[in-house]
Amino acid sequence: VNATEKLTNTSEYAVANLVEQESRDAVLSVVDLATDHIYSNGGDATRLTSLQQIISANDAIQGLSGATYGRWNSRGVSARGTGAASVSFASGSFTTQGVSDMRKAWLNATEGAMQPHGIYTTHLVFGYYEASVQPQERFTSSSIADAGFQQLAFKTAPVFADSKCTSGEMHFINFDALYLVVLAGADYTASEFIEATDQEAYTSKIMFKAQLVCENRYLVNKLTSITA
C-alpha cells in the first residue's frame, strides 16, 4: 500500500478493501511458494522438507537414516523385504504398466487398515489415468453425452491433479503419517503496517513457519518417471 493509494481511496471502507486485497495477494503468494517447496525444495535446508525427500529410501531425513533403520524407508514398487539400497520408485509407460504400478505402490503403502487417503499427480498423468478407466463408463442419460468422470479415485482414495506436482510423478499420501505442522503465531500472520524509509509505501510482513512431518515412511509412497 502506498500514500497515493491511501489518498485516492479516501473512505475508511475503500482503504479497508484496498488493504484486504493487498493482504490477500501477499498471502496467496506465500501459499504458492510454500506449495512449491512441499513438492521440491531444491535442496535448500531452510525450506520445508519436501515430498521428494520424505518419500524415498536409503537416505537420511529428519534425523533418521533409512540405511540404518529398515522401516524408515518408503517401499516404491519393489517387493516387500527389498533392501533399502535396492528400492525402486520408477514406473514407465502408463498405458502398459501404470495401473499395475499403482496397485504395487498402493499395497506397499498399506499396513492392515492403514492405507493412503489421497493420491496426487500431474494433470498429464491424471489424464492418463482417466483414459485408462474410460472403458468402464456407463451412460446415465439419453439426452446428455458426457465423455468424462466428475471425480477419479483409486481403490478408496481420491485422485487429484496438482499443477505443483513434479513432472511424471504420483504420490500416495496417508494423512495420519504425513502432515504439515505450523508454528503457533506464524500461520500466515501479518505484522503491523509501517511506513518505509524515503518511500511512499506502507509494508506488512507475512510470516509463515511450518514443517512437513512424517511419522512413518512405510505409509507413504510414490511413482516416478511416468510417461504416456
Side-chain angles (χ1 to χ4, degrees):
V1 179
N2 59 53
T4 300
E5 290 172 329
K6 287 185 66 178
L7 293 171
T8 304
N9 297 275
T10 54
S11 76
E12 60 182 34
Y13 298 107
V15 172
N17 289 337
L18 175 63
V19 172
E20 180 184 8
Q21 181 61 51
E22 295 288 350
S23 299
R24 184 184 300 115
D25 289 344
V27 169
L28 289 176
S29 295
V30 177
V31 170
D32 191 61
L33 182 63
T35 306
D36 281 334
H37 294 172
I38 283 175
Y39 279 105
S40 179
N41 65 10
D44 189 340
T46 66
R47 299 176 178 178
L48 293 168
T49 301
S50 68
L51 289 175
Q52 292 290 336
Q53 297 168 300
I54 291 175
I55 308 177
S56 187
N58 198 44
D59 53 2
I61 188 69
Q62 295 188 345
L64 287 176
S65 170
T68 303
Y69 301 99
R71 292 189 63 84
W72 192 234
N73 296 287
S74 298
R75 291 185 283 211
V77 290
S78 301
R80 291 194 177 213
T82 298
S86 300
V87 169
S88 173
F89 298 91
S91 183
S93 168
F94 198 93
T95 301
T96 59
Q97 65 188 81
V99 174
S100 174
D101 283 346
M102 287 176 70
R103 292 191 185 103
K104 293 177 184 177
W106 173 279
L107 290 174
N108 277 348
T110 299
E111 288 289 334
M114 296 179 290
Q115 55 192 17
H117 297 111
I119 301 172
Y120 297 81
T121 190
T122 67
H123 285 80
L124 196 60
V125 176
F126 184 91
Y128 299 157
Y129 180 53
E130 182 173 20
S132 75
V133 297
Q134 279 181 341
Q136 309 304 319
E137 290 176 331
R138 295 291 183 270
F139 294 102
T140 58
S141 172
S142 61
S143 60
I144 299 176
D146 191 341
F149 294 102
Q150 291 182 346
Q151 296 177 323
L152 291 182
F154 182 74
K155 296 186 182 290
T156 60
V159 180
F160 301 98
D162 190 341
S163 61
K164 300 292 185 180
C165 186
T166 305
S167 177
E169 296 195 353
M170 178 178 284
H171 300 263
F172 296 73
I173 307 299
N174 182 308
F175 299 132
D176 292 327
L178 179 67
Y179 46 86
L180 188 70
V181 176
V182 181
L183 186 65
D187 189 2
Y188 300 104
T189 305
S191 66
E192 295 291 332
F193 277 91
I194 59 174
E195 186 174 4
T197 304
D198 299 326
Q199 295 183 43
E200 285 189 355
Y202 296 83
T203 61
S204 172
K205 297 177 182 177
I206 303 295
M207 185 165 54
F208 177 69
K209 296 181 182 294
Q211 184 58 283
L212 196 61
V213 176
C214 184
E215 293 186 355
N216 189 340
R217 291 211 287 181
Y218 259 26
L219 298 178
V220 290
N221 210 351
K222 68 182 178 184
L223 297 176
T224 64
S225 305
I226 301 172
T227 63

